[in-house]
Amino acid sequence: MNIHQIDLNRLKEFETPFYYYDLDLLNETLDRAKAAADKRGFHVHYALKANFNDKVLGLIQSKGFGADCVSGNEVQKSIDSGFPAQQITFAGVGKSDKEINLALDHKIFAFNVESIQELLVINELAAKKQVKAQVSLRINPNVDAHTHHYITTGLDENKFGVPNSELEKAASVLRECGNLELLGLHFHVGSQITDINVFKSLCVKVNEWKNWFEERGTTIKVLNVGGGLGVDYHEPDTHPYADFEAYFEVFDKFLERNAQQEVHFELGRALVAQSGTLVSKVLYTKSGVKKNFLILDAGMTELMRPALYQAFHKIEKLGAEPNAEELNYDVVGPICESSDCFGKEVPLPVSERGDLIAIRTAGAYGEVMASKYNLRDEIRFVFSEDL
Ligand code: LLP
C-alpha cells in the first residue's frame, strides 16, 4: 500500500522514526525485473548492500534472484536467507582471509576479484583447502557513469578492479594459479545511473575486453556487468518502477556473446529503493533569522544519503489538505552536525509539532546505512502487511 493511502491515525500508532516498506510495490518491482531478465536468459544477483532487512531479503530470495555480497557476513546472511551458494557472488577490494575462507567453504558461485594480489591470496587459501575457487576478474573499464563522484566506481582514478595496464599480468597469473578457475569478467561502473547510454558505453568496453581474453585463448563463460540502474527520486509515485525492459534490452542488443556465454547483473537500488519510506515526526518548528526549520525526530543516523552525498529525497507531509498554504523549510534532524539536513528550502504545507513527514525512495542504502551515532535507538520498521 502506498504511504499516502494509509490512514494517518493508524500510522501515528507506531513509534517514529521508522522505515515503512510497501511489500506490494516491492513484489511488483521484483516480478517486473525478473520477467524482463528471464525473457533474455539473464541472471540477476541482488546486491545485498542496498537492503538486507530480513523480510525484504526473504521476498527477493523467494523470487529466484541470486545474491551479490561484499563481505563475509553478507555471504553468510545470503546462505542463511536461503539463497543457493551457486547463485552467490562475492565482490570487494578488501576481502580478508577469514571472509575468503568462509566463501570457499560455502562453495559460492564466484569471487569477483579486484587485484592480482587478491588472485594469489585466493589461490593460496583454496590450495590449502584443496578446492578450486571460481573467479571473475573485475576490470576497471574507465567508463564515466555521470553520477555523483562518491558512487562512481569505473574510472581509472577509482580503487575498484584491475586497471587495464595490469591485465596482461593478471592473465598470466590466472594461467599459473592451479586452484583458480576463471569464469569470466566482471564490471561495475557506478550507481544511480539514469543515462542509459552509460550502459551502452559499458557494453562496448565489455566486448573489447572479452575479445582481448578470447584472442589469448581464454574461455569467458560469464559476463557480469554489475548493477547501477537508477530510480526516480524526484517523482516516486509517477515512476515507481525502474525501466527494467529498456535496461536489459541495451545489454541484449549491444553485448556480443555466444550461446554458451551467460550475462549476469548485480542490481541493488532499482529493486528496493521505491518500496521504502522513512516516516518521521515533526518535533519542533523554528523560525530562524533567515530560515524556517522543521526539526524531525529522524536524522542522518536513520538516513545518511543526504548528509553523505547531498542526495535528494522527496519530502512530503502526510495527510496534508490539498491546496494547503505552503512555507519553505529547511528539514533537519536532531543530530549534532550541520550536515544533518534532509533538504533545504523545501516547499511544504505549513507544519506543526506532531505532524508526520515522509522521506521517500529510502528503501535502498537507507536502513542498512543507519548508525548508532549519538547513541540513537535501533532503527524500527513497519511493513504494509502489518497495517
Ligand atoms: N555491484 C557492485 C560491485 C557494487 O559496488 C554495487 C554498489 C552494486 C553492484 C549495486 O549497485 P546498485 O544497483 O545498487 O546501483 N550508498 C550509495 C550507493 C553505493 C553503491 C555501492 N556499490 C548510495 O546511497 O547512493
Side-chain angles (χ1 to χ4, degrees):
M1 203 184 332
N2 182 289
I3 189 82
H4 293 290
Q5 293 168 320
I6 305 166
D7 175 49
L8 198 58
N9 290 324
R10 181 79 181 96
L11 266 188
K12 283 188 172 172
E13 287 169 18
F14 296 92
E15 188 181 354
T16 51
F18 60 84
Y19 274 92
Y20 167 74
Y21 289 112
D22 180 346
L23 296 180
D24 301 327
L25 183 68
L26 178 59
N27 197 49
E28 174 69 20
T29 308
L30 296 172
D31 285 347
R32 287 180 180 221
K34 194 78 174 66
D38 285 353
K39 193 163 116 182
R40 298 171 170 90
F42 290 166
H43 303 256
V44 181
H45 304 261
Y46 167 64
L48 254 80
K49 65 171 87 65
N51 189 318
F52 43 71
N53 180 292
D54 283 335
K55 195 159 260 184
V56 170
L57 213 48
L59 189 55
I60 296 173
Q61 185 275 329
S62 74
K63 302 280 181 186
F65 289 90
D68 165 46
C69 305
V70 284
S71 70
N73 289 342
E74 283 193 359
V75 171
Q76 189 60 53
K77 179 93 187 166
S78 319
I79 298 279
D80 295 344
S81 308
F83 288 90
Q86 268 308 302
Q87 281 180 257
I88 296 177
T89 55
F90 182 15
V93 291
K95 303 177 188 76
S96 70
D97 294 20
K98 181 177 157 191
E99 292 176 311
I100 293 169
N101 278 324
L102 175 112
L104 286 172
D105 289 342
H106 283 302
K107 300 188 172 50
I108 63 162
F109 174 64
F111 290 85
N112 293 333
V113 179
E114 310 235 7
S115 67
I116 292 179
Q117 204 171 24
E118 188 191 330
L119 281 176
L120 294 168
V121 170
I122 298 178
N123 184 55
E124 190 186 316
L125 295 175
K128 276 195 195 144
K129 292 182 182 290
Q130 298 180 320
V131 295
K132 250 191 173 183
Q134 303 194 133
V135 300
S136 287
L137 198 61
R138 176 165 183 182
I139 299 180
N140 187 337
N142 197 24
V143 167
D144 191 345
H146 300 298
T147 181
H148 192 279
H149 62 282
Y150 278 11
I151 50 177
T152 290
T153 48
L155 289 175
D156 281 344
E157 67 214 54
N158 298 129
K159 68 179 174 181
F160 301 97
V162 180
N164 300 349
S165 55
E166 294 238 291
L167 281 175
E168 195 83 61
K169 188 165 172 214
S172 84
V173 166
L174 274 163
R175 278 190 293 273
E176 287 155 20
C177 288
N179 291 77
L180 299 184
E181 182 191 336
L182 181 69
L183 277 186
L185 306 177
H186 174 242
F187 302 81
H188 174 79
V189 290
S191 198
Q192 182 53 15
I193 297 170
T194 48
D195 176 0
I196 211 93
N197 287 315
V198 169
F199 297 115
K200 222 158 136 182
S201 310
L202 172 61
C203 290
V204 172
K205 294 282 182 172
V206 175
N207 295 339
E208 277 174 28
W209 286 111
K210 182 184 71 86
N211 292 338
W212 189 92
F213 275 88
E214 287 178 345
E215 280 161 13
R216 281 156 183 76
T218 309
T219 307
I220 299 296
K221 187 177 151 217
V222 169
L223 297 170
N224 182 333
V225 293
L229 177 61
V231 297
D232 190 345
Y233 280 90
H234 289 267
E235 294 301 337
D237 292 325
T238 315
H239 299 122
Y241 310 106
D243 193 346
F244 297 108
E245 267 295 327
Y247 171 70
F248 288 123
E249 185 56 24
V250 167
F251 291 93
D252 205 6
K253 207 157 150 198
F254 295 102
L255 263 194
E256 293 162 8
R257 60 204 191 277
N258 63 37
Q260 282 79 48
Q261 280 165 332
E262 297 174 4
V263 186
H264 290 239
F265 295 82
E266 300 167 344
L267 289 179
R269 187 188 318 263
L271 297 181
V272 291
Q274 297 294 21
S275 53
T277 297
L278 178 61
V279 179
S280 178
K281 197 175 270 176
V282 176
L283 289 177
Y284 304 102
T285 58
K286 184 155 97 174
S287 298
V289 180
K290 293 185 177 160
K291 298 272 193 182
N292 297 303
F293 291 102
L294 213 54
I295 303 170
L296 306 185
D297 62 0
M300 62 194 280
T301 40
E302 285 68 46
L303 179 65
M304 206 198 282
R305 302 191 70 255
L308 198 55
Y309 320 112
Q310 300 87 43
F312 176 89
H313 284 260
K314 189 166 193 190
I315 302 172
E316 296 167 326
K317 176 176 163 176
L318 292 174
E321 296 296 328
N323 306 320
E325 189 196 341
E326 291 196 341
L327 266 182
N328 282 347
Y329 289 104
D330 276 16
V331 182
V332 303
I335 307 303
C336 301
E337 301 272 349
S338 293
S339 60
D340 184 27
C341 176
F342 291 116
K344 286 191 191 301
E345 299 287 330
V346 184
L348 283 172
V350 174
S351 303
E352 56 186 40
R353 177 172 163 82
D355 284 345
L356 287 188
I357 300 292
I359 304 178
R360 306 291 305 277
T361 319
Y365 307 108
E367 187 189 329
V368 279
M369 289 175 74
S371 90
K372 298 284 288 175
Y373 185 43
N374 287 200
L375 203 50
R376 299 276 290 168
D377 281 353
E378 282 298 334
I379 192 79
R380 287 174 285 268
F381 38 87
V382 172
F383 298 101
S384 44
E385 63 185 22
D386 300 332
L387 294 162

